[in-house]
Amino acid sequence: MKALVLSGGAGTRLRPITHTSAKQLVPVANKPVLFYGLEAIADAGITEVGIIVGDTADEIREAVGDGSRFGIEVTYIPQDAPLGLAHAVLIAQDFLGDDDFVMYLGDNFIVGGITGLVEEFRTERPDAQILLTKVPNPTSFGVAELGADGRVVGLEEKPKQPKSDLALVGVYLFTPAIHEAVRSIEPSWRGELEITHAIQWLIDQKRDVRSTTISGYWKDTGNVTDMLEVNRSVLETLEPHSAGTVDETSEIIGRVRIEEGARVSGSRIVGPAVIGAGTVVNDAYVGPFTSVSEGCRIEDSEIEYSIVLRGASVTGVRRVEASLIGRDVEVTPAPRNPKAHRLVLGDHSKVQISS
């Protein structure tokens, strides 16, 4: 069995972060989201992994390498444009061959991994198996309709009038039957080859399509709100550890991980929180559910429920919360006079200002 991991896409919902970085590499508890998926695939005993890459291919290659650090062997498959999940299967056919495979969306996060699902599929071998979960806003997802016997009878992509509240989670398992399906469908109104259409084709051809409804934790980390929520969930499982330096005037409360070379002085850190390697925390407060990456500086400031990426600094700011701060960003207080705001913002930014 092989794996196909999708790591293309523009990540428009995470802009401006994704103007300069792949959305799959935004860190959760100081580890890229993509890495959690690759680890889950390896834990399921799958070693041959194809990664679909687009405009951020160089960054993905640099981060993942040949896959040996995860115990897998990686093949990179370029996709000229994000033309749909079924298009990804279409261009990966040479890599996939006649093998069964799991398709995993690289920006998805599933607590508990996929080992049980893969084992069930290997035993039963339906033509396709999908994961479903109940959501409050099904119009934003691919939605499944189940028959009285629990079998999948229909799928719709982002329907205006959903027939259920069961959304497709970003993990799919297929036999080679899916290759005929993706060749048999036409692009949707979005100009994409939809995987929901391909699975619907299998259903219409009376092929065996099954579903598993999960009650565990799942998030599509495609926007800031969900990214912060996933970060919170992962930090809940954090084991306290300190490989850095903490002076006697500092207070460390709860589950806090301080990585090698980090220095904490005159500060209070309340976990769960992680302080990255080489980061300096001075005369500051770092509150729960905060991940500060490597090489950062938090000084004379308060920050809570946030993700701070590599090389960023927050200096002299009274309070920052529920924020995603990009690489090498500088956050400082504005001058009190004249009474005006000076902004340098990337495209599609959102800013809240108290006037």
Side-chain angles (χ1 to χ4, degrees):
M1 193 168 185
K2 293 177 180 175
L4 186 65
V5 177
L6 276 60
S7 293
T12 54
R13 291 178 294 158
L14 274 175
R15 285 178 177 166
I17 297 294
T18 49
H19 279 307
T20 53
S21 178
K23 63 178 179 177
Q24 297 85 5
L25 297 181
V26 176
V28 168
N30 284 7
K31 182 165 67 176
V33 171
L34 175 61
F35 288 11
Y36 291 96
L38 296 178
E39 289 169 355
I41 288 166
D43 289 343
I46 299 171
T47 57
E48 294 182 75
V49 180
I51 300 183
I52 301 288
V53 291
D55 292 342
T56 58
D58 290 345
E59 192 177 4
I60 298 290
R61 288 175 187 268
E62 182 180 355
V64 177
D66 63 2
S68 56
R69 62 184 291 187
F70 305 99
I72 59 177
E73 181 180 337
V74 170
T75 299
Y76 293 98
I77 304 166
Q79 187 180 33
D80 293 335
L83 297 175
L85 305 188
H87 180 262
V89 176
L90 192 66
I91 64 174
Q93 186 166 359
D94 287 346
F95 164 76
L96 296 169
D98 293 327
D99 293 310
D100 296 348
F101 68 97
V102 55
M103 184 168 74
Y104 197 114
L105 274 58
D107 59 353
N108 274 227
F109 185 89
I110 301 174
V111 169
I114 60 171
T115 300
L117 180 74
V118 169
E119 289 175 350
E120 178 186 349
F121 182 81
R122 280 173 163 154
T123 301
E124 303 291 336
R125 286 200 76 233
D127 293 299
Q129 185 158 350
I130 58 177
L131 262 68
L132 304 174
T133 191
K134 290 188 175 183
V135 296
N137 55 334
T139 55
S140 300
F141 300 92
V143 174
E145 181 185 3
L146 304 184
D149 60 355
R151 298 259 177 171
V152 183
V153 297
L155 297 172
E156 291 182 279
E157 186 65 34
K158 298 181 174 64
K160 293 181 179 179
Q161 300 293 331
K163 295 179 180 178
S164 81
D165 60 354
L166 293 172
L168 276 76
V169 175
V171 177
Y172 309 79
L173 296 107
F174 296 116
T175 67
I178 193 64
H179 296 303
E180 183 180 359
V182 299
R183 290 194 302 268
S184 301
I185 61 174
E186 297 293 333
S188 68
W189 62 270
R190 300 192 301 172
E192 298 184 4
L193 290 176
E194 310 284 2
I195 198 66
T196 48
H197 291 179
I199 299 171
Q200 184 66 54
W201 186 91
L202 291 174
I203 295 170
D204 294 341
Q205 299 298 313
K206 310 301 183 186
R207 306 301 289 264
D208 188 3
V209 176
R210 303 184 189 179
S211 68
T212 299
T213 301
I214 62 172
S215 57
Y217 188 84
W218 164 78
K219 280 288 184 182
D220 168 6
T221 61
N223 61 56
V224 174
T225 300
D226 286 343
M227 182 68 71
L228 292 172
E229 178 61 19
V230 170
N231 188 64
R232 182 204 62 77
S233 176
V234 175
L235 288 177
E236 287 278 21
T237 66
L238 190 72
E239 292 294 329
H241 173 74
S242 181
T245 302
V246 180
D247 77 353
E248 59 186 14
T249 66
S250 296
E251 187 177 15
I252 308 298
I253 302 172
R255 300 190 305 278
V256 177
R257 188 174 76 222
I258 301 173
E259 298 180 345
E260 187 174 355
R263 303 194 308 276
V264 180
S265 59
S267 298
R268 187 169 187 254
I269 302 177
V270 179
V274 56
I275 308 299
T279 282
V280 174
V281 180
N282 181 44
D283 292 333
Y285 167 76
V286 178
F289 310 119
T290 302
S291 297
V292 183
S293 296
E294 68 271 19
C296 295
R297 176 174 288 273
I298 311 295
E299 189 167 15
D300 189 25
S301 300
E302 298 180 2
I303 186 167
E304 185 171 311
Y305 192 69
S306 295
I307 299 173
V308 183
L309 274 61
R310 184 184 69 237
S313 65
V314 180
T315 306
V317 179
R318 186 172 66 180
R319 185 75 174 178
V320 175
E321 62 182 26
S323 298
L324 175 57
I325 298 173
R327 295 177 298 185
D328 300 312
V329 163
E330 296 179 4
V331 181
T332 58
R336 292 189 180 275
N337 292 304
K339 195 170 183 180
H341 302 288
R342 182 176 183 270
L343 305 174
V344 180
L345 302 172
D347 296 346
H348 309 289
S349 293
K350 294 182 180 180
V351 177
Q352 293 180 327
I353 296 175
S354 298
S355 299

